[in-house]
Amino acid sequence: HADCAACVEANRDILVGVKVLLSAALADEGRNEAQAFREAQRAAADTGTPLMAHHAVSTVPLEDCPGSMREGDIYTHCYHGFESTIVDPDSRQVHSAVRAARENGVLFDIGHGMGALNWTVGEICAAEGFWPDIIGTDLHTGTFEGPAYDMPTVLTRLLHLGMPLTEVIRCSTVSPAEAIGWSDRIGTLGAGREADVAVLSLDDADMDLEDCQGQMRRINRRLVAQAAWRAGVPAEIT
């Protein structure tokens, strides 16, 4: 953890926290997972930055992750449907350890990516009002042609689940900036901030939209990008 903490300290202008990937297959079938988690927690605590945990198909129980995470730490990929999902497979309700973590100030991020939005998990969470605090796309070369596609499509999935539009926008702008301590730089429009602007329309729709496992849902409205600026420079909408 010391080397990780030193790296954060040496790069404070661009490093905002510590990330740990907890998955048994990447940790000698789980033998190194618990130690990796503890070391990541120590590095985050030593640097006073949030810890982000990717926790899927993991031997670390929910009682520890997110159960032992600190206020302001981020539990990402929170709507995945794999082993270690936040939904108790027996009760089909949000696990009690997950609810307790939220009460203790742990933040939950969609982190959509290749596999982290499962319609069934999302519908169970929606029925209980367990919405994400942050809507991240985890957009990269393996996801921009599907299943994530782009930010408006990821936001559309949350809208379809019933998340209020105002919360969808807040959790994709203001909340992420606050989570990484950059709310004075990004996330809102105001004097001294870069002109990062997206203009979206809320359009009627009648189409099937898949989740990360190929489950389909019929949606009746979607967010569509109409214009965007990055640091005041217009971007092409494709």
Side-chain angles (χ1 to χ4, degrees), residues 26-179:
L26 300 178
D28 194 17
E29 296 308 315
R31 295 177 185 86
N32 300 325
E33 273 195 289
Q35 181 180 353
F37 183 46
R38 289 192 297 269
E39 293 291 328
Q41 286 181 301
R42 291 176 65 188
D46 286 354
T47 55
T49 60
L51 172 68
M52 173 178 275
H54 165 137
H55 181 239
V57 197
S58 172
T59 61
V60 178
L62 290 167
E63 287 80 3
D64 291 336
C65 183
S68 69
M69 295 174 75
R70 301 172 304 158
E71 180 180 1
D73 285 349
I74 303 165
Y75 185 93
T76 191
H77 311 310
C78 65
Y79 278 9
H80 78 72
F82 305 111
E83 186 180 345
S84 307
T85 175
I86 66 172
V87 171
D88 187 310
D90 296 322
S91 68
R92 292 180 67 83
Q93 294 180 322
V94 176
H95 196 284
S96 58
V98 174
R99 288 201 168 277
R102 165 159 279 177
E103 291 172 4
N104 290 332
V106 175
L107 304 175
F108 290 82
D109 168 42
I110 285 293
H112 190 294
M114 288 288 292
L117 193 141
N118 178 286
W119 280 131
T120 304
V121 171
E123 287 159 358
I124 290 170
C125 291
E128 298 185 35
F130 195 93
W131 299 114
D133 300 288
I134 300 166
I135 303 174
T137 61
D138 193 13
L139 197 65
H140 51 77
T141 57
T143 63
F144 79 94
E145 292 183 337
Y149 297 109
D150 50 42
M151 189 70 161
T153 303
V154 172
L155 301 183
T156 293
R157 288 187 173 97
L158 273 297
L159 274 179
H160 176 73
L161 288 170
M163 192 174 187
L165 177 60
T166 53
E167 287 300 289
V168 168
I169 299 304
R170 182 180 67 82
C171 291
S172 57
T173 54
V174 178
S175 295
E178 292 176 344

Side-chain angles (χ1 to χ4, degrees), residues 174-196:
V174 178
S175 295
E178 292 176 344
I180 64 172
W182 281 14
S183 57
D184 60 335
R185 299 165 59 177
I186 60 173
T188 60
L189 296 177
R193 292 172 171 81
E194 290 189 338
D196 295 340

